Amino acid sequence: MGTSVQVTPLCGVYSESPLCYLLSIDGFNFLVDCGWNDLFDTNLLQPLAKVSSTIDAILLSHSDTLHLGALPYAMKHLGLSAPVYSTEPVYRLGLLTMYDHYLSRKQVSEFDLFTLDDIDSAFQNVTKLTYSQNHHLTGKGEGIVIAPHVAGHLLGGTVWKITKDGEDVIYAVDFNHRKERHLNGTVLESFVRPAVLITDAYNALNNQPSRRQRDQEFLDAILKTLRADGNVLLPVDTAGRVLELILMLEQHWAQHHLTYPIFFLTYVASSTIEYVKSFLEWMSDSIGKSFEHTRDNAFLLRHVTLLINKNDLEKMPDGPKIVLASMASLEVGFSHNIFVEWATDNKNLVLFTERGQFATLARMLQADPPPKAVKVTMSKRVPLVGEELRAYEEEQNRIKKEEALKASLSKEEDLKPSHESDANLGDPMVIDANNTRVNSDVTGPHGGGHQDIFIDGFVPPSTSVSPMFPFFENFSEWDDFGEVINPDDYVLKEEDMDQISMRVGGDLDGKLDEGSANLILDSKPSKVVSNELTVQVKCSLVYMDFEGRSDGRSIKSILAHVAPLKLVLVHGTAEATEHLKQHCLKHVCPHVYAPQIGEAIDVTSDLCAYKVQLSERLMSNVLFKKLGDYEIAWIDAEVGKTDSGMLSLLPLSTPPPHKSVLVGDLKLADFKQFLASKGVQVEFAGGALRCGEYVTLRKIGDATQKGGVTSTQQVVLEGPLTEEYYKIREYLYSQFYLL
């Protein structure tokens, strides 16, 4: 029997809801992603609440709310307490994203689902991993290895590879095969024939134009508005896809010497860019190489101004401008307020770069045709004054007095048992002649027969040897240089550094507007004032896909190449999920699942896996050959059992002969250079390599056959049996390892 694998969706199937799935491998429960939407709808978390206490580990794939937004709430209210694993950027930027959401909500409502302390607590015990780092679990997860790989969607975004007993389970949602300005494409195609692949159908029905065409249309739309004396609003996320947009605008402005101001406005804008500057190793190869040669950081912004306060934006000179403001949903945040102000001017443009979440204002405005008017709620937090302030202060004083009274009563209750437990002990403030008699030897010849001793607050028990407080002497170790110290006592722990650097919104520059500071420190009593408005939408509304996900055609091609034994589809509309399911049943593999919320499906491998021990007698006669970073060998053996009952491979008395096996992966481009170095005339013609005058070399059998069975790749050498043919064949054999 293979490794036992069960998948249970908790949210995010047959819809565009947040992503949250329970993955059980041999009884070890992974929570893969812990997402929430921008509306923070607690009803979405009911399935998670039922299983949260059984979770053994949490894997986070991306830094936006759809993948990790529910983590603080679940750890505070749902009993989720498992260790969390993510990459460094997902940890850092995810923390800032949650800060931004909290501050945005707190400004317009009495938001109490979680606090900044809850966010810190949830992210406190995250284990940070680097790409391709194999992390071996211990305890209940003994034998399971997890490793993050490049997803290509967001900075630090992850395709998780989970391995147990040689079988791979791949979790790959929201991946992008395209190489972008600040990110490399996904490495999902490097995984071939995993036991289980869990992926999404979000973009299964969408096809994208070329990157060049899309970028040009984006810049043209912006510049057209600016030149017509209009403003451009881009509702964006806090620290995700906005980085690609910032880099694109920064580069275009520098190349064409444009002077229109660009503003990046979130509560944590400064911190976001500061952290991103330190994540160059997580970005695209082009950014890394540019930094190595010029020492110029791509996110050292010269044309984009960072703002964390809308008041600063209002102080800027009038004129056309671009503002990238959170939130992308337009539900709350700076983008919401700016939209209300700019929507009534037909010169302005609101440019959406991602699909709005369901039931949000952004989704409503992306309808075709868009609404001509929308109802919005404008809320703001104002300080209490007058009677309201006095009533608030009186209530706070009353609460403090009640707490002080409770504390004093509790203290008295604690003291009563200790007084009653010893009959010989009186009130410590009362002089007791029976307990204070002293020997005449002590008082001296001129003292009276009795002397009263007043002991304030401490009465020694009658059984005590001497009336003194406990004292423990610390013995220090010494050597020839003095007292031996432990260096660890003087090292500031990494988590302490993290908390210091990330408090107050994680703002490294210490910049925080007054409203945000008041929210964090709770220094001024305030209230939320709301009113409903009907906004006439006269501005231009445009949607362009900058979500950074592979489109439908690319998804199908990648899945056909990976060819998993079993495929699980999640996160996508019902139409997209069914479309991709039917396609994969025909062209990828015969086992395709699309479970409903709460439906547990068993995707245990049909293969039988056994652990066998290589006996010393067998290994002593094996000849290894070097193959890159590995050593390989051919063995002939039979299965037996050791004295302990474990399966073992034992050598055969007379090993049978076997055909020669060539091991390696021939790249025609590399072989072409090799032949050229040997003086052979060589060129590509019609997908084949023409060697000399008559010999042709080609690779075949790379297509995926029906049923998901990938054919063996073959190298075919064609030509007349001449001296040239045999010479090229010898060169070809030299590119492989012979077993």
Side-chain angles (χ1 to χ4, degrees), residues 121-425:
S121 177
F123 284 84
Q124 181 174 318
N125 296 319
V126 174
T127 299
K128 281 87 73 177
L129 305 177
T130 59
Y131 282 146
S132 302
Q133 175 186 349
N134 289 327
H135 181 80
H136 297 260
L137 301 182
T138 57
K140 184 179 177 182
E142 186 73 33
I144 299 178
V145 181
I146 60 174
H149 296 271
V150 180
H153 172 52
L154 300 180
L155 185 61
T158 302
V159 169
W160 283 103
K161 178 183 177 184
I162 308 168
T163 305
K164 176 73 182 292
D165 293 338
E167 295 186 9
D168 296 333
V169 177
I170 308 295
Y171 176 76
V173 296
D174 294 333
F175 57 84
N176 185 16
H177 70 288
R178 291 186 177 185
K179 186 176 181 179
E180 297 187 304
R181 287 173 177 81
H182 81 297
L183 293 177
N184 289 323
T186 184
V187 298
L188 177 58
E189 290 179 280
S190 65
F191 303 120
V192 180
R193 305 290 286 163
V196 180
L197 172 62
I198 305 171
T199 191
D200 66 295
Y202 189 79
N203 256 5
L205 297 176
N206 298 336
N207 291 317
Q208 301 168 343
S210 66
R211 172 182 157 181
R212 184 186 299 273
Q213 177 186 345
R214 180 199 62 179
D215 292 357
Q216 191 60 49
E217 291 175 353
F218 174 80
L219 295 169
D220 288 346
I222 289 177
L223 292 174
K224 180 181 177 181
T225 301
L226 295 175
R227 288 164 181 161
D229 204 30
N231 297 319
V232 180
L233 170 64
L234 282 82
V236 295
D237 52 17
T238 301
R241 294 301 303 171
V242 65
L243 301 178
E244 180 74 7
L245 301 177
I246 288 175
L247 204 56
M248 183 192 309
L249 293 171
E250 176 76 17
Q251 292 176 356
H252 189 78
W253 257 235
Q255 292 171 3
H256 295 83
H257 307 289
L258 300 176
T259 57
Y260 298 109
I262 305 172
F263 301 102
F264 178 36
L265 176 60
T266 74
Y267 284 106
V268 291
S270 303
S271 302
T272 299
I273 299 303
E274 284 300 319
Y275 276 125
V276 168
K277 287 178 185 177
S278 65
F279 290 148
L280 296 186
E281 72 272 21
W282 299 86
M283 298 185 189
S284 64
D285 296 336
S286 57
I287 286 182
K289 291 178 181 177
S290 175
F291 181 76
E292 288 178 4
H293 293 127
T294 65
R295 313 307 292 177
D296 188 16
N297 194 309
F299 281 90
L300 187 62
L301 305 177
R302 297 177 175 84
H303 298 87
V304 178
T305 303
L306 307 179
L307 300 177
I308 57 176
N309 187 350
K310 188 170 178 291
N311 294 333
D312 294 338
L313 178 65
E314 294 169 351
K315 295 175 184 177
M316 297 297 170
D318 293 335
K321 62 179 74 71
I322 303 174
V323 178
L324 300 95
S326 61
M327 303 293 172
S329 63
L330 289 181
E331 283 298 302
V332 293
F334 297 123
S335 62
H336 175 85
N337 297 337
I338 294 173
F339 167 77
V340 173
E341 295 176 11
W342 291 3
T344 55
D345 191 340
N346 58 9
K347 291 182 181 179
N348 297 333
L349 168 66
V350 177
L351 180 52
F352 297 99
T353 57
E354 61 181 71
R355 273 168 283 181
Q357 295 179 22
F358 181 73
T360 62
L361 178 58
R363 187 62 165 261
M364 189 186 308
L365 295 170
Q366 292 173 17
D368 189 15
K372 295 182 180 179
V374 293
K375 286 186 177 181
V376 298
T377 301
M378 291 296 293
S379 303
K380 64 177 180 179
R381 185 171 289 276
V382 296
L384 297 179
V385 294
E387 289 296 328
E388 290 181 328
L389 179 59
R390 281 192 290 273
Y392 173 83
E393 290 175 344
E394 290 176 0
E395 178 66 16
Q396 292 300 310
N397 290 333
R398 185 186 65 80
I399 293 174
K400 288 181 180 178
K401 289 180 180 178
E402 289 182 356
E403 291 178 349
L405 180 60
K406 289 180 180 178
S408 62
L409 291 175
S410 175
K411 187 174 182 180
E412 289 180 6
E413 290 294 330
D414 292 340
L415 291 174
K416 283 182 180 179
S418 62
H419 294 163
E420 297 171 357
S421 60
D422 193 342
N424 296 325
L425 298 183

Side-chain angles (χ1 to χ4, degrees), residues 683-710:
E683 62 179 355
F684 281 107
L689 196 62
R690 180 172 293 175
C691 311
E693 191 171 354
Y694 303 109
V695 181
T696 302
L697 181 70
R698 62 168 52 90
K699 294 172 73 173
I700 63 173
D702 201 22
T704 302
Q705 299 175 346
K706 187 174 181 180
V709 180
T710 305

Side-chain angles (χ1 to χ4, degrees), residues 2-5 161-170 191-198 562-568 589 591 593 603-607:
T3 301
S4 173
V5 181
K161 178 183 177 184
I162 308 168
T163 305
K164 176 73 182 292
D165 293 338
E167 295 186 9
D168 296 333
V169 177
I170 308 295
F191 303 120
V192 180
R193 305 290 286 163
V196 180
L197 172 62
I198 305 171
V562 175
L565 299 178
K566 295 187 178 182
L567 178 64
V568 181
C589 69
H591 304 287
Y593 306 87
V603 286
T604 300
S605 172
D606 297 329
L607 301 176

Side-chain angles (χ1 to χ4, degrees), residues 630-652:
Y630 303 94
E631 291 184 339
I632 59 175
W634 178 282
I635 62 171
D636 291 292
E638 61 182 358
V639 178
K641 280 191 176 182
T642 62
D643 295 338
S644 60
M646 186 175 182
L647 296 179
S648 177
L649 288 182
L650 306 173
L652 299 176

Side-chain angles (χ1 to χ4, degrees), residues 57-186:
I58 304 168
L59 306 180
L60 301 179
S61 61
H62 296 91
S63 59
D64 57 356
T65 52
L66 285 176
H67 297 85
L68 54 71
L71 191 62
Y73 180 86
M75 288 198 166
K76 177 67 179 294
H77 300 285
L78 304 184
L80 188 64
S81 59
V84 184
Y85 299 90
S86 77
T87 60
E88 181 81 15
V90 167
Y91 161 68
R92 297 283 184 185
L93 302 182
L95 185 63
L96 293 178
T97 296
M98 296 310 299
Y99 278 161
D100 196 27
H101 273 273
Y102 172 83
L103 294 173
S104 297
R105 284 281 172 184
K106 196 66 176 176
Q107 284 283 27
V108 298
S109 67
E110 301 298 339
F111 187 75
D112 60 357
L113 294 178
F114 53 82
T115 65
L116 291 176
D117 287 336
D118 295 334
I119 297 172
D120 289 338
S121 177
F123 284 84
Q124 181 174 318
N125 296 319
V126 174
T127 299
K128 281 87 73 177
L129 305 177
T130 59
Y131 282 146
S132 302
Q133 175 186 349
N134 289 327
H135 181 80
H136 297 260
L137 301 182
T138 57
K140 184 179 177 182
E142 186 73 33
I144 299 178
V145 181
I146 60 174
H149 296 271
V150 180
H153 172 52
L154 300 180
L155 185 61
T158 302
V159 169
W160 283 103
K161 178 183 177 184
I162 308 168
T163 305
K164 176 73 182 292
D165 293 338
E167 295 186 9
D168 296 333
V169 177
I170 308 295
Y171 176 76
V173 296
D174 294 333
F175 57 84
N176 185 16
H177 70 288
R178 291 186 177 185
K179 186 176 181 179
E180 297 187 304
R181 287 173 177 81
H182 81 297
L183 293 177
N184 289 323
T186 184

